[in-house]
Short mmCIF file of all heavy atoms in Angstrom, two decimals:
data_model
loop_
_atom_site.label_atom_id
_atom_site.label_comp_id
_atom_site.label_asym_id
_atom_site.label_seq_id
_atom_site.Cartn_x
_atom_site.Cartn_y
_atom_site.Cartn_z
N MET Z 18 0.84 -1.20 0.02
CA MET Z 18 0.00 0.01 0.00
C MET Z 18 0.88 1.25 0.01
O MET Z 18 1.82 1.36 0.77
CB MET Z 18 -0.90 -0.01 1.23
CG MET Z 18 -2.02 1.01 1.16
SD MET Z 18 -3.15 0.80 2.54
CE MET Z 18 -3.35 2.50 3.03
N ALA Z 19 0.54 2.16 -0.87
CA ALA Z 19 1.33 3.38 -0.97
C ALA Z 19 1.24 4.23 0.29
O ALA Z 19 0.16 4.22 0.95
CB ALA Z 19 0.89 4.19 -2.16
N ASP Z 20 2.29 4.91 0.62
CA ASP Z 20 2.23 5.80 1.75
C ASP Z 20 1.24 6.95 1.45
O ASP Z 20 1.18 7.44 0.34
CB ASP Z 20 3.62 6.45 1.98
CG ASP Z 20 4.59 5.40 2.52
OD1 ASP Z 20 4.14 4.38 3.11
OD2 ASP Z 20 5.81 5.62 2.36
N ARG Z 21 0.50 7.29 2.46
CA ARG Z 21 -0.44 8.42 2.32
C ARG Z 21 0.12 9.64 3.03
O ARG Z 21 0.73 9.55 4.09
CB ARG Z 21 -1.82 8.04 2.86
CG ARG Z 21 -2.62 7.26 1.83
CD ARG Z 21 -3.70 6.47 2.50
NE ARG Z 21 -4.69 7.31 3.17
CZ ARG Z 21 -5.73 7.87 2.57
NH1 ARG Z 21 -5.94 7.69 1.32
NH2 ARG Z 21 -6.58 8.61 3.23
N TYR Z 22 -0.18 10.77 2.41
CA TYR Z 22 0.26 12.05 2.97
C TYR Z 22 -0.95 12.94 3.19
O TYR Z 22 -2.03 12.69 2.64
CB TYR Z 22 1.25 12.76 2.04
CG TYR Z 22 2.56 12.01 1.99
CD1 TYR Z 22 2.77 10.94 1.17
CD2 TYR Z 22 3.61 12.41 2.85
CE1 TYR Z 22 3.97 10.26 1.16
CE2 TYR Z 22 4.82 11.74 2.83
CZ TYR Z 22 4.99 10.66 1.99
OH TYR Z 22 6.16 9.97 1.99
N ARG Z 23 -0.75 13.99 3.95
CA ARG Z 23 -1.88 14.83 4.31
C ARG Z 23 -1.40 16.29 4.37
O ARG Z 23 -0.34 16.59 4.88
CB ARG Z 23 -2.38 14.37 5.69
CG ARG Z 23 -3.42 15.27 6.34
CD ARG Z 23 -3.68 14.68 7.72
NE ARG Z 23 -4.50 15.56 8.52
CZ ARG Z 23 -5.84 15.45 8.60
NH1 ARG Z 23 -6.47 14.52 7.94
NH2 ARG Z 23 -6.52 16.30 9.35
N VAL Z 24 -2.23 17.16 3.81
CA VAL Z 24 -2.01 18.59 4.04
C VAL Z 24 -3.33 19.15 4.62
O VAL Z 24 -4.39 18.75 4.24
CB VAL Z 24 -1.64 19.39 2.76
CG1 VAL Z 24 -0.20 19.10 2.35
CG2 VAL Z 24 -2.59 19.09 1.63
N ASP Z 25 -3.15 20.07 5.56
CA ASP Z 25 -4.30 20.58 6.32
C ASP Z 25 -4.32 22.09 6.14
O ASP Z 25 -3.37 22.78 6.50
CB ASP Z 25 -4.11 20.21 7.79
CG ASP Z 25 -5.36 20.42 8.59
OD1 ASP Z 25 -6.14 21.33 8.21
OD2 ASP Z 25 -5.55 19.73 9.58
N CYS Z 26 -5.42 22.58 5.59
CA CYS Z 26 -5.53 24.02 5.33
C CYS Z 26 -5.49 24.85 6.61
O CYS Z 26 -5.19 26.03 6.59
CB CYS Z 26 -6.81 24.33 4.55
SG CYS Z 26 -6.51 24.91 2.89
N ARG Z 27 -5.81 24.23 7.73
CA ARG Z 27 -5.75 24.99 8.97
C ARG Z 27 -4.34 25.43 9.29
O ARG Z 27 -4.14 26.34 10.09
CB ARG Z 27 -6.28 24.15 10.13
CG ARG Z 27 -7.80 23.94 10.02
CD ARG Z 27 -8.31 23.00 11.09
NE ARG Z 27 -7.81 21.67 10.88
CZ ARG Z 27 -8.14 20.61 11.63
NH1 ARG Z 27 -8.99 20.77 12.63
NH2 ARG Z 27 -7.64 19.43 11.37
N LYS Z 28 -3.34 24.78 8.66
CA LYS Z 28 -1.94 25.16 8.88
C LYS Z 28 -1.40 26.03 7.75
O LYS Z 28 -0.24 26.41 7.77
CB LYS Z 28 -1.10 23.90 9.01
CG LYS Z 28 -1.50 23.02 10.14
CD LYS Z 28 -0.71 21.72 10.16
CE LYS Z 28 -1.17 20.83 11.35
NZ LYS Z 28 -0.49 19.52 11.33
N PHE Z 29 -2.25 26.36 6.79
CA PHE Z 29 -1.80 27.18 5.68
C PHE Z 29 -1.48 28.58 6.15
O PHE Z 29 -2.29 29.18 6.87
CB PHE Z 29 -2.87 27.20 4.58
CG PHE Z 29 -2.34 27.18 3.19
CD1 PHE Z 29 -2.01 26.02 2.58
CD2 PHE Z 29 -2.15 28.41 2.51
CE1 PHE Z 29 -1.51 26.00 1.28
CE2 PHE Z 29 -1.63 28.41 1.23
CZ PHE Z 29 -1.33 27.20 0.60
N PRO Z 30 -0.32 29.12 5.80
CA PRO Z 30 0.13 30.38 6.39
C PRO Z 30 -0.84 31.53 6.28
O PRO Z 30 -1.07 32.26 7.22
CB PRO Z 30 1.43 30.71 5.62
CG PRO Z 30 1.89 29.40 5.08
CD PRO Z 30 0.65 28.55 4.86
N SER Z 31 -1.48 31.71 5.10
CA SER Z 31 -2.31 32.89 4.92
C SER Z 31 -3.81 32.57 4.95
O SER Z 31 -4.62 33.33 4.52
CB SER Z 31 -1.96 33.53 3.56
OG SER Z 31 -2.21 32.61 2.55
N ASP Z 32 -4.13 31.38 5.45
CA ASP Z 32 -5.53 30.99 5.36
C ASP Z 32 -6.41 31.74 6.32
O ASP Z 32 -6.01 32.17 7.36
CB ASP Z 32 -5.62 29.46 5.67
CG ASP Z 32 -7.03 28.98 5.40
OD1 ASP Z 32 -7.48 29.07 4.27
OD2 ASP Z 32 -7.66 28.56 6.38
N GLN Z 33 -7.68 31.89 5.91
CA GLN Z 33 -8.64 32.61 6.73
C GLN Z 33 -9.78 31.64 7.13
O GLN Z 33 -10.93 31.79 6.72
CB GLN Z 33 -9.23 33.79 5.97
CG GLN Z 33 -8.19 34.77 5.44
CD GLN Z 33 -7.65 35.65 6.55
OE1 GLN Z 33 -8.33 35.97 7.49
NE2 GLN Z 33 -6.39 36.02 6.45
N GLY Z 34 -9.46 30.67 7.93
CA GLY Z 34 -10.50 29.81 8.49
C GLY Z 34 -10.91 28.60 7.67
O GLY Z 34 -11.89 27.95 8.01
N CYS Z 35 -10.18 28.29 6.61
CA CYS Z 35 -10.52 27.10 5.86
C CYS Z 35 -10.09 25.84 6.68
O CYS Z 35 -9.00 25.83 7.24
CB CYS Z 35 -9.76 27.12 4.51
SG CYS Z 35 -10.09 25.71 3.46
N THR Z 36 -10.95 24.85 6.71
CA THR Z 36 -10.64 23.65 7.50
C THR Z 36 -10.51 22.41 6.67
O THR Z 36 -10.54 21.28 7.17
CB THR Z 36 -11.76 23.42 8.55
OG1 THR Z 36 -13.01 23.23 7.87
CG2 THR Z 36 -11.87 24.58 9.51
N VAL Z 37 -10.30 22.58 5.34
CA VAL Z 37 -10.15 21.43 4.45
C VAL Z 37 -8.84 20.71 4.70
O VAL Z 37 -7.82 21.38 4.92
CB VAL Z 37 -10.24 21.89 2.96
CG1 VAL Z 37 -9.76 20.80 2.01
CG2 VAL Z 37 -11.66 22.30 2.61
N ALA Z 38 -8.86 19.41 4.69
CA ALA Z 38 -7.64 18.60 4.70
C ALA Z 38 -7.70 17.64 3.52
O ALA Z 38 -8.76 17.13 3.16
CB ALA Z 38 -7.51 17.84 6.00
N ILE Z 39 -6.55 17.42 2.92
CA ILE Z 39 -6.48 16.54 1.74
C ILE Z 39 -5.47 15.45 2.04
O ILE Z 39 -4.38 15.72 2.55
CB ILE Z 39 -5.99 17.33 0.49
CG1 ILE Z 39 -7.01 18.43 0.14
CG2 ILE Z 39 -5.77 16.38 -0.71
CD1 ILE Z 39 -6.50 19.45 -0.84
N SER Z 40 -5.84 14.18 1.76
CA SER Z 40 -4.89 13.10 1.98
C SER Z 40 -4.89 12.18 0.79
O SER Z 40 -5.91 12.03 0.09
CB SER Z 40 -5.16 12.35 3.27
OG SER Z 40 -6.45 11.79 3.27
N GLY Z 41 -3.78 11.51 0.56
CA GLY Z 41 -3.62 10.60 -0.56
C GLY Z 41 -2.13 10.41 -0.82
O GLY Z 41 -1.32 10.68 0.07
N SER Z 42 -1.79 9.89 -2.01
CA SER Z 42 -0.39 9.77 -2.30
C SER Z 42 0.20 11.17 -2.42
O SER Z 42 -0.53 12.16 -2.58
CB SER Z 42 -0.19 9.02 -3.64
OG SER Z 42 -0.58 9.86 -4.71
N ILE Z 43 1.52 11.25 -2.32
CA ILE Z 43 2.13 12.58 -2.37
C ILE Z 43 1.77 13.32 -3.62
O ILE Z 43 1.52 14.52 -3.63
CB ILE Z 43 3.67 12.49 -2.09
CG1 ILE Z 43 4.28 13.87 -1.92
CG2 ILE Z 43 4.39 11.73 -3.21
CD1 ILE Z 43 3.81 14.59 -0.67
N ASP Z 44 1.75 12.63 -4.76
CA ASP Z 44 1.43 13.28 -6.02
C ASP Z 44 -0.03 13.77 -6.04
O ASP Z 44 -0.35 14.83 -6.56
CB ASP Z 44 1.68 12.36 -7.21
CG ASP Z 44 3.17 12.15 -7.43
OD1 ASP Z 44 3.97 12.97 -6.99
OD2 ASP Z 44 3.52 11.13 -8.10
N GLU Z 45 -0.93 12.94 -5.47
CA GLU Z 45 -2.34 13.34 -5.42
C GLU Z 45 -2.55 14.53 -4.51
O GLU Z 45 -3.31 15.46 -4.84
CB GLU Z 45 -3.18 12.17 -4.92
CG GLU Z 45 -3.30 11.04 -5.91
CD GLU Z 45 -3.86 9.75 -5.31
OE1 GLU Z 45 -3.74 9.57 -4.10
OE2 GLU Z 45 -4.42 8.97 -6.07
N VAL Z 46 -1.85 14.52 -3.39
CA VAL Z 46 -1.98 15.64 -2.44
C VAL Z 46 -1.46 16.94 -3.08
O VAL Z 46 -2.07 18.01 -2.94
CB VAL Z 46 -1.22 15.32 -1.15
CG1 VAL Z 46 -0.99 16.54 -0.31
CG2 VAL Z 46 -1.98 14.25 -0.36
N ILE Z 47 -0.35 16.85 -3.79
CA ILE Z 47 0.19 18.04 -4.44
C ILE Z 47 -0.77 18.55 -5.50
O ILE Z 47 -1.03 19.76 -5.56
CB ILE Z 47 1.58 17.73 -5.04
CG1 ILE Z 47 2.60 17.54 -3.88
CG2 ILE Z 47 2.03 18.85 -5.97
CD1 ILE Z 47 3.93 16.96 -4.34
N GLU Z 48 -1.27 17.66 -6.35
CA GLU Z 48 -2.13 18.09 -7.43
C GLU Z 48 -3.47 18.65 -6.88
O GLU Z 48 -3.91 19.73 -7.29
CB GLU Z 48 -2.41 16.91 -8.37
CG GLU Z 48 -3.12 17.31 -9.65
CD GLU Z 48 -2.32 18.28 -10.50
OE1 GLU Z 48 -1.07 18.25 -10.48
OE2 GLU Z 48 -2.94 19.12 -11.19
N LEU Z 49 -4.11 17.93 -5.96
CA LEU Z 49 -5.35 18.40 -5.42
C LEU Z 49 -5.17 19.65 -4.57
O LEU Z 49 -6.01 20.52 -4.56
CB LEU Z 49 -6.03 17.33 -4.60
CG LEU Z 49 -6.94 16.37 -5.36
CD1 LEU Z 49 -7.43 15.26 -4.42
CD2 LEU Z 49 -8.15 17.08 -5.90
N GLY Z 50 -4.06 19.69 -3.84
CA GLY Z 50 -3.79 20.86 -3.02
C GLY Z 50 -3.62 22.11 -3.87
O GLY Z 50 -4.13 23.17 -3.53
N TRP Z 51 -2.95 21.92 -5.02
CA TRP Z 51 -2.81 23.07 -5.91
C TRP Z 51 -4.14 23.49 -6.49
O TRP Z 51 -4.47 24.68 -6.51
CB TRP Z 51 -1.81 22.71 -7.04
CG TRP Z 51 -1.92 23.56 -8.25
CD1 TRP Z 51 -2.19 23.16 -9.49
CD2 TRP Z 51 -1.79 24.99 -8.33
NE1 TRP Z 51 -2.24 24.23 -10.35
CE2 TRP Z 51 -1.99 25.36 -9.66
CE3 TRP Z 51 -1.50 25.97 -7.36
CZ2 TRP Z 51 -1.93 26.69 -10.06
CZ3 TRP Z 51 -1.47 27.31 -7.80
CH2 TRP Z 51 -1.68 27.67 -9.08
N LEU Z 52 -4.95 22.54 -6.91
CA LEU Z 52 -6.29 22.88 -7.45
C LEU Z 52 -7.13 23.58 -6.41
O LEU Z 52 -7.85 24.55 -6.68
CB LEU Z 52 -6.99 21.64 -7.94
CG LEU Z 52 -6.42 21.00 -9.23
CD1 LEU Z 52 -7.10 19.68 -9.53
CD2 LEU Z 52 -6.54 21.95 -10.41
N HIS Z 53 -7.05 23.09 -5.16
CA HIS Z 53 -7.80 23.71 -4.07
C HIS Z 53 -7.29 25.13 -3.84
O HIS Z 53 -8.10 26.07 -3.64
CB HIS Z 53 -7.67 22.87 -2.81
CG HIS Z 53 -8.27 23.51 -1.61
ND1 HIS Z 53 -9.62 23.58 -1.41
CD2 HIS Z 53 -7.69 24.10 -0.53
CE1 HIS Z 53 -9.88 24.20 -0.26
NE2 HIS Z 53 -8.70 24.54 0.31
N ALA Z 54 -5.99 25.30 -3.85
CA ALA Z 54 -5.43 26.64 -3.60
C ALA Z 54 -5.86 27.60 -4.69
O ALA Z 54 -6.19 28.78 -4.44
CB ALA Z 54 -3.88 26.57 -3.60
N LYS Z 55 -5.97 27.13 -5.92
CA LYS Z 55 -6.33 27.97 -7.05
C LYS Z 55 -7.82 28.27 -7.05
O LYS Z 55 -8.22 29.42 -7.26
CB LYS Z 55 -5.90 27.25 -8.35
CG LYS Z 55 -6.07 28.11 -9.57
CD LYS Z 55 -5.30 27.58 -10.76
CE LYS Z 55 -5.84 26.30 -11.29
NZ LYS Z 55 -5.36 26.01 -12.66
N THR Z 56 -8.64 27.25 -6.82
CA THR Z 56 -10.08 27.48 -6.95
C THR Z 56 -10.68 28.04 -5.68
O THR Z 56 -11.63 28.83 -5.73
CB THR Z 56 -10.81 26.15 -7.28
OG1 THR Z 56 -10.54 25.19 -6.27
CG2 THR Z 56 -10.35 25.60 -8.61
N HIS Z 57 -10.16 27.68 -4.54
CA HIS Z 57 -10.78 28.09 -3.27
C HIS Z 57 -10.06 29.29 -2.66
O HIS Z 57 -10.69 30.07 -1.93
CB HIS Z 57 -10.78 26.91 -2.30
CG HIS Z 57 -11.69 27.13 -1.12
ND1 HIS Z 57 -13.04 26.87 -1.17
CD2 HIS Z 57 -11.45 27.54 0.15
CE1 HIS Z 57 -13.59 27.14 0.01
NE2 HIS Z 57 -12.64 27.55 0.82
N HIS Z 58 -8.77 29.39 -2.90
CA HIS Z 58 -8.00 30.49 -2.27
C HIS Z 58 -7.49 31.51 -3.29
O HIS Z 58 -6.63 32.32 -2.94
CB HIS Z 58 -6.85 29.89 -1.48
CG HIS Z 58 -7.33 29.06 -0.31
ND1 HIS Z 58 -7.85 29.59 0.85
CD2 HIS Z 58 -7.40 27.70 -0.17
CE1 HIS Z 58 -8.18 28.59 1.67
NE2 HIS Z 58 -7.92 27.45 1.07
N ALA Z 59 -7.97 31.43 -4.50
CA ALA Z 59 -7.70 32.44 -5.53
C ALA Z 59 -6.24 32.63 -5.84
O ALA Z 59 -5.77 33.72 -6.16
CB ALA Z 59 -8.32 33.79 -5.12
N HIS Z 60 -5.45 31.54 -5.74
CA HIS Z 60 -4.08 31.63 -6.17
C HIS Z 60 -4.01 31.62 -7.70
O HIS Z 60 -4.86 31.05 -8.35
CB HIS Z 60 -3.23 30.47 -5.58
CG HIS Z 60 -2.96 30.67 -4.12
ND1 HIS Z 60 -2.03 31.61 -3.67
CD2 HIS Z 60 -3.47 30.07 -3.03
CE1 HIS Z 60 -2.00 31.54 -2.34
NE2 HIS Z 60 -2.88 30.64 -1.93
N LYS Z 61 -2.98 32.26 -8.22
CA LYS Z 61 -2.85 32.45 -9.67
C LYS Z 61 -1.97 31.34 -10.28
O LYS Z 61 -1.13 30.78 -9.59
CB LYS Z 61 -2.26 33.81 -9.98
CG LYS Z 61 -3.00 34.97 -9.37
CD LYS Z 61 -4.44 35.03 -9.85
CE LYS Z 61 -5.22 36.20 -9.22
NZ LYS Z 61 -6.65 36.04 -9.34
N ASP Z 62 -2.17 31.12 -11.58
CA ASP Z 62 -1.40 30.11 -12.30
C ASP Z 62 0.11 30.27 -12.13
O ASP Z 62 0.84 29.30 -12.06
CB ASP Z 62 -1.79 30.10 -13.77
CG ASP Z 62 -3.12 29.40 -14.03
OD1 ASP Z 62 -3.54 28.61 -13.17
OD2 ASP Z 62 -3.74 29.71 -15.05
N ASP Z 63 0.58 31.52 -12.07
CA ASP Z 63 2.02 31.72 -11.99
C ASP Z 63 2.59 31.39 -10.59
O ASP Z 63 3.79 31.44 -10.39
CB ASP Z 63 2.44 33.13 -12.41
CG ASP Z 63 1.85 34.22 -11.50
OD1 ASP Z 63 1.22 33.89 -10.48
OD2 ASP Z 63 2.05 35.40 -11.83
N GLU Z 64 1.71 31.01 -9.68
CA GLU Z 64 2.17 30.60 -8.33
C GLU Z 64 2.29 29.07 -8.24
O GLU Z 64 2.62 28.56 -7.20
CB GLU Z 64 1.21 31.07 -7.28
CG GLU Z 64 1.08 32.60 -7.19
CD GLU Z 64 0.05 32.98 -6.11
OE1 GLU Z 64 0.45 33.13 -4.96
OE2 GLU Z 64 -1.15 33.12 -6.45
N GLU Z 65 1.97 28.39 -9.35
CA GLU Z 65 1.87 26.93 -9.29
C GLU Z 65 3.14 26.28 -8.72
O GLU Z 65 3.05 25.40 -7.84
CB GLU Z 65 1.55 26.36 -10.67
CG GLU Z 65 1.45 24.84 -10.67
CD GLU Z 65 0.93 24.26 -11.98
OE1 GLU Z 65 0.52 25.08 -12.86
OE2 GLU Z 65 0.93 23.03 -12.14
N THR Z 66 4.29 26.63 -9.26
CA THR Z 66 5.54 25.98 -8.82
C THR Z 66 5.76 26.19 -7.32
O THR Z 66 6.06 25.25 -6.60
CB THR Z 66 6.71 26.52 -9.63
OG1 THR Z 66 6.49 26.26 -11.01
CG2 THR Z 66 8.01 25.81 -9.20
N GLY Z 67 5.59 27.42 -6.89
CA GLY Z 67 5.82 27.71 -5.47
C GLY Z 67 4.86 27.02 -4.55
O GLY Z 67 5.23 26.52 -3.50
N ILE Z 68 3.59 27.01 -4.95
CA ILE Z 68 2.56 26.38 -4.13
C ILE Z 68 2.83 24.87 -4.03
O ILE Z 68 2.75 24.27 -2.95
CB ILE Z 68 1.15 26.62 -4.74
CG1 ILE Z 68 0.80 28.11 -4.70
CG2 ILE Z 68 0.11 25.77 -3.99
CD1 ILE Z 68 0.21 28.61 -3.44
N LYS Z 69 3.12 24.25 -5.20
CA LYS Z 69 3.37 22.81 -5.16
C LYS Z 69 4.60 22.47 -4.33
O LYS Z 69 4.62 21.49 -3.61
CB LYS Z 69 3.51 22.29 -6.61
CG LYS Z 69 2.17 22.21 -7.32
CD LYS Z 69 2.31 21.58 -8.69
CE LYS Z 69 0.93 21.29 -9.31
NZ LYS Z 69 1.03 20.69 -10.65
N GLU Z 70 5.63 23.31 -4.39
CA GLU Z 70 6.80 23.05 -3.57
C GLU Z 70 6.45 23.21 -2.10
O GLU Z 70 6.96 22.45 -1.24
CB GLU Z 70 7.94 24.02 -3.97
CG GLU Z 70 8.63 23.59 -5.27
CD GLU Z 70 9.71 24.56 -5.71
OE1 GLU Z 70 9.92 25.57 -4.97
OE2 GLU Z 70 10.32 24.32 -6.74
N TRP Z 71 5.63 24.18 -1.80
CA TRP Z 71 5.20 24.37 -0.40
C TRP Z 71 4.46 23.14 0.09
O TRP Z 71 4.71 22.67 1.20
CB TRP Z 71 4.32 25.65 -0.26
CG TRP Z 71 4.02 25.96 1.15
CD1 TRP Z 71 4.74 26.79 1.96
CD2 TRP Z 71 2.96 25.45 1.95
NE1 TRP Z 71 4.17 26.83 3.21
CE2 TRP Z 71 3.10 25.99 3.24
CE3 TRP Z 71 1.92 24.56 1.68
CZ2 TRP Z 71 2.19 25.70 4.27
CZ3 TRP Z 71 1.03 24.27 2.70
CH2 TRP Z 71 1.17 24.86 3.98
N ILE Z 72 3.55 22.63 -0.74
CA ILE Z 72 2.80 21.44 -0.32
C ILE Z 72 3.73 20.28 -0.10
O ILE Z 72 3.61 19.54 0.88
CB ILE Z 72 1.71 21.14 -1.37
CG1 ILE Z 72 0.68 22.26 -1.42
CG2 ILE Z 72 1.03 19.79 -1.04
CD1 ILE Z 72 -0.29 22.14 -2.63
N ARG Z 73 4.63 20.06 -1.06
CA ARG Z 73 5.58 18.95 -0.92
C ARG Z 73 6.38 19.03 0.38
O ARG Z 73 6.61 18.06 1.06
CB ARG Z 73 6.53 18.89 -2.14
CG ARG Z 73 7.42 17.67 -2.15
CD ARG Z 73 8.36 17.66 -3.34
NE ARG Z 73 7.68 17.54 -4.63
CZ ARG Z 73 7.27 16.37 -5.16
NH1 ARG Z 73 7.50 15.27 -4.53
NH2 ARG Z 73 6.67 16.35 -6.30
N GLY Z 74 6.76 20.27 0.71
CA GLY Z 74 7.57 20.48 1.91
C GLY Z 74 6.77 20.38 3.21
O GLY Z 74 7.34 20.17 4.28
N ASN Z 75 5.47 20.56 3.11
CA ASN Z 75 4.64 20.60 4.31
C ASN Z 75 3.67 19.41 4.49
O ASN Z 75 2.97 19.35 5.48
CB ASN Z 75 3.81 21.92 4.33
CG ASN Z 75 4.71 23.08 4.68
OD1 ASN Z 75 4.93 23.39 5.85
ND2 ASN Z 75 5.27 23.74 3.69
N ALA Z 76 3.62 18.53 3.50
CA ALA Z 76 2.77 17.36 3.62
C ALA Z 76 3.31 16.47 4.77
O ALA Z 76 4.51 16.32 4.96
CB ALA Z 76 2.77 16.56 2.33
N GLU Z 77 2.36 15.96 5.55
CA GLU Z 77 2.72 15.09 6.67
C GLU Z 77 2.29 13.67 6.39
O GLU Z 77 1.33 13.45 5.64
CB GLU Z 77 1.99 15.59 7.94
CG GLU Z 77 2.29 17.06 8.28
CD GLU Z 77 1.40 17.54 9.40
OE1 GLU Z 77 0.25 17.10 9.52
OE2 GLU Z 77 1.88 18.40 10.19
N ALA Z 78 2.95 12.74 7.00
CA ALA Z 78 2.51 11.33 6.86
C ALA Z 78 1.10 11.20 7.45
O ALA Z 78 0.83 11.70 8.54
CB ALA Z 78 3.47 10.41 7.62
N ALA Z 79 0.22 10.53 6.72
CA ALA Z 79 -1.14 10.32 7.17
C ALA Z 79 -1.24 8.84 7.59
O ALA Z 79 -0.74 7.97 6.93
CB ALA Z 79 -2.15 10.61 6.10
N HIS Z 80 -1.93 8.60 8.67
CA HIS Z 80 -2.07 7.23 9.18
C HIS Z 80 -3.53 6.83 9.16
O HIS Z 80 -4.00 6.19 10.09
CB HIS Z 80 -1.45 7.10 10.57
CG HIS Z 80 -0.01 7.53 10.62
ND1 HIS Z 80 0.98 6.77 10.04
CD2 HIS Z 80 0.57 8.62 11.13
CE1 HIS Z 80 2.15 7.41 10.21
NE2 HIS Z 80 1.92 8.53 10.85
N ASP Z 81 -4.25 7.27 8.14
CA ASP Z 81 -5.68 6.95 8.07
C ASP Z 81 -5.99 5.96 6.98
O ASP Z 81 -5.17 5.67 6.14
CB ASP Z 81 -6.52 8.23 7.90
CG ASP Z 81 -6.04 9.03 6.68
OD1 ASP Z 81 -5.02 8.66 6.03
OD2 ASP Z 81 -6.70 10.03 6.41
ZN1 ZN T 105 -8.37 25.69 1.93
#
């Protein structure tokens, strides 16, 4: 079974009360996290590389 990772919007530096958490493989978490950042938090396409790197650096091991 592949390792699962988790990112939690409650820990997002600039977040304003979002409580979404995403878990899955590291690639799924990065892709969905980026889509969530773009659609829900109004991040722009030119932030994609930085956001994805941030997610990769901040994803935690999930034990669910
Ligand atoms: Zn969020």
Side-chain angles (χ1 to χ4, degrees):
M18 194 173 134
D20 290 337
R21 278 159 62 86
Y22 290 84
R23 172 184 170 93
V24 286
D25 192 331
C26 247
R27 289 175 294 183
K28 298 176 181 175
F29 216 84
S31 60
D32 187 62
Q33 303 286 327
C35 181
T36 60
V37 166
I39 298 166
S40 61
S42 72
I43 189 66
D44 289 340
E45 290 167 335
V46 164
I47 290 168
E48 189 62 31
L49 272 175
W51 159 238
L52 289 174
H53 173 74
K55 188 162 69 163
T56 58
H57 194 82
H58 295 284
H60 286 286
K61 305 300 180 198
D62 283 337
D63 63 5
E64 298 179 90
E65 179 171 354
T66 301
I68 296 275
K69 285 184 171 179
E70 284 178 0
W71 187 92
I72 295 169
R73 187 181 293 278
N75 286 274
E77 303 171 328
H80 304 288
D81 53 356

